[in-house]
């Protein structure tokens, strides 16, 4: 079973979309293995997105990610990483396929409602950034 980290970003939390977004993942067969609401400091957002630190959008992205609460989740399924990426859609909501979460709820390339790990290596960094082993539930 593969695990991936999802974040419901501050724009989506603000618009009361937590349930709708989690519903889409659960409906697609992803199991919620861990779930937490928290507010990132800007420094914590910078640490999470350190891979992008040379990018022009890094500072704005980290301000956005710390502007309000987020919901972080570990989702589990076979092929969870690819499944979540497909359900999210392309980074830019305007280019995201119809029916995806970002096409439905994203409002700009930055404010695109959700994050999902993009590879097993990213997931291996991102999951422990938010959750300890004791907070991740094994299959009931
Ligand atoms: N982002 C942005 N401008 C860009 C590209 C990305 O503001 O030109 C933001 C956006 O919120 C995106 C995040 O930075 O989700 C991380 O970028 P990445 O390229 O990893 O996209 P993702 O993997 O989230 O689709
Ligand atoms: Mg990415």
């Amino acid at each position: 079973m593969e695990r991936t980290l999802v974040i419901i970003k501050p724009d989506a939390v603000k618009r009361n979309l937590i349930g709708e977004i989690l519903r889409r993942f659960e409906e697609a067969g992803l199991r919620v293995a861990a779930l937490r609401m928290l507010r990132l400091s800007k420094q914590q957002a910078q640490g999470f997105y350190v891979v992008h630190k040379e990018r022009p959008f890094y500072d704005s992205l980290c301000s956005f990610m710390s502007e309000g609460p987020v919901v972080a989740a570990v989702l589990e399924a076979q092929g969870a990483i690819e499944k979540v990426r497909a359900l999210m859609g392309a980074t830019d909501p305007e280019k995201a396929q119809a029916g995806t979460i970002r096409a439905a709820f994203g409002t700009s390339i930055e404010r695109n409602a959700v994050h999902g790990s993009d590879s097993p290596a990213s997931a291996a960094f991102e999951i422990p950034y938010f959750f300890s082993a004791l907070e991740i539930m094994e299959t009931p």
Side-chain angles (χ1 to χ4, degrees):
M1 274 298 179
E2 188 172 69
R3 288 173 177 172
T4 187
L5 184 87
V6 162
I7 304 175
I8 303 175
K9 295 184 178 185
D11 57 328
V13 170
K14 213 166 286 179
R15 293 168 61 208
N16 292 356
L17 292 169
I18 297 169
E20 169 60 21
I21 290 171
L22 289 176
R23 186 192 66 74
R24 286 176 178 232
F25 289 130
E26 286 194 305
E27 199 163 80
L30 289 138
R31 183 180 74 85
V32 177
L35 187 67
R36 184 152 83 112
M37 190 172 195
L38 74 158
R39 182 165 177 173
L40 294 169
S41 67
K42 184 156 180 185
Q43 211 174 11
Q44 289 167 335
Q46 286 167 337
F48 181 76
Y49 278 118
V50 70
V51 64
H52 291 313
K53 71 172 188 300
E54 305 302 336
R55 302 289 201 84
F57 58 81
Y58 180 64
D59 187 65
S60 177
L61 170 63
C62 294
S63 295
F64 159 54
M65 288 300 289
S66 57
E67 77 179 25
V70 299
V71 171
V74 177
L75 301 186
E76 186 182 84
Q78 276 179 18
I81 293 170
E82 276 314 307
K83 271 185 187 157
V84 164
R85 297 290 296 188
L87 290 164
M88 289 197 315
T91 307
D92 183 350
E94 284 187 16
K95 297 185 182 135
Q97 212 182 327
T100 61
I101 294 168
R102 283 167 164 175
F105 305 123
T107 53
S108 74
I109 193 166
E110 179 176 87
R111 305 175 76 86
N112 59 5
V114 277
H115 168 87
S117 307
D118 68 1
S119 65
S122 301
F125 169 76
E126 293 175 359
I127 290 170
Y129 200 84
F130 282 89
F131 297 100
S132 75
L134 289 176
E135 293 170 322
I136 301 171
M137 301 301 118
E138 299 297 331
T139 311

